[in-house]
Amino acid sequence: MNNNNLKLQLQKIIDCKTKPLGALGRIETLALQLGMIQGTTSPQICEPQILVFAADHGLTKHGTSAYPSAVTTQMVYNFLQGGAAINVLARQHGIELKVVDAGVDSDIGADINAYPQLLDYKVRYGSRDALVETAMTENECLTAIKNGMKVIEGLAGNLLIVGEMGIGNTSAASLLLARLGDLAIDDCIGRGTGLDDAGLTHKCHVLTQVLERHHDAKTPFSALTALGGLEIATMVGAFIQAASERRILLIDGFIASSALLVADRLAAGVAQYAIFAHHSVEPGHVHLLNLLNAEPLLDMGLRLGEGSGAALAYPLVQSACAIINEMAIFSDAGISGQEK
């Protein structure tokens, strides 16, 4: 069945449900999108997965974050011990959670036997200082992308929530947005983990210098290599592989959206598999959503990351599947439909 015919069939099924046309609003468009992603009139969610990608950023030595890089490692252990917001939400919804070490600046891999949910795909101990060199070499960036693809291969289920942890990663995401969106860096940055006004001004100054240094990094891959982070590059690979397997991508906030933008620029069509969970208060997120032609499901003032916003939106995806599969149609229920 071609896409046009499938879309017509899905819309007909939704319109024939026992309700006025369009009465379920965004749930109806979400149900249609799920059917299009899976190529079926009966979309299903099977064994959803949460992957939290973690890495450190060399640029943080210039004071671009309110927190020290050591917090990345500390938060990874919090994930592994089940104490973070995303752990709470994963347990609430019965979703399996794994943590991917893409480039944390510590030897957490030594504890992999104690934490079977930890996946060791470390490329190096944090990205390089993008103010003096590229954040990654081309080989490191390519390895990270390939690692992301490997993580997805053989992963159970058909719905993926990707979260992240990396002190300094709002800077990397802002740099990628500015370069790939052809935007001023002032429009792309926010307070991240809580910078004050002076800190925000300093962050803007540093990131402006980074963009000037890497002014030739204009393609998606060169921009990712020069400006990105190891967890973002690994997420890019994960999105590309997941889309190739027709998985539902439930996209979190600013960092995840920046990775999706790169993935879609590298492999056109990846964004077709994405459902955008929420509108982050990070200022650059609205520009990412516009570039990706996306309308998020929630707007709740979130800016935590970790995949938390996507986990909060997950029940809406469940509801959309249930509506299209279980709700009666007028003829079966013996109810008169709308007059033509």
Side-chain angles (χ1 to χ4, degrees), residues 330 335-340:
F330 283 106
I335 299 172
S336 299
Q338 185 180 38
E339 293 292 334
K340 292 186 179 180

Side-chain angles (χ1 to χ4, degrees), residues 6 10 30-43 246 324:
L6 175 60
L10 283 163
L30 180 55
L32 188 148
Q33 185 180 3
L34 290 169
M36 294 299 294
I37 287 172
Q38 294 189 341
T40 177
T41 56
S42 301
R246 297 193 80 126
I324 197 168

Side-chain angles (χ1 to χ4, degrees), residues 49-67:
Q49 304 288 319
I50 298 173
L51 295 174
V52 180
F53 293 83
D56 280 297
H57 295 256
L59 193 62
T60 57
K61 67 180 65 175
H62 298 287
T64 55
S65 174
Y67 285 81

Side-chain angles (χ1 to χ4, degrees), residues 164 169-178 185 187-190 192 203 232 235 251-261 278-289 292 302-305:
E164 38 63 40
N169 61 13
T170 59
S171 292
S174 297
L175 289 164
L176 289 168
L177 170 59
I185 190 64
D187 296 329
C188 301
I189 65 169
K203 180 178 180 179
I232 294 176
M235 291 162 67
I251 304 299
D252 193 42
F254 183 51
I255 315 300
S257 297
S258 73
L260 184 72
L261 177 66
H278 75 105
H279 191 305
S280 169
V281 298
E282 189 69 20
H285 196 215
V286 66
H287 299 296
L288 278 168
L289 293 171
L292 291 162
L302 303 172
R303 57 180 179 87
L304 178 60

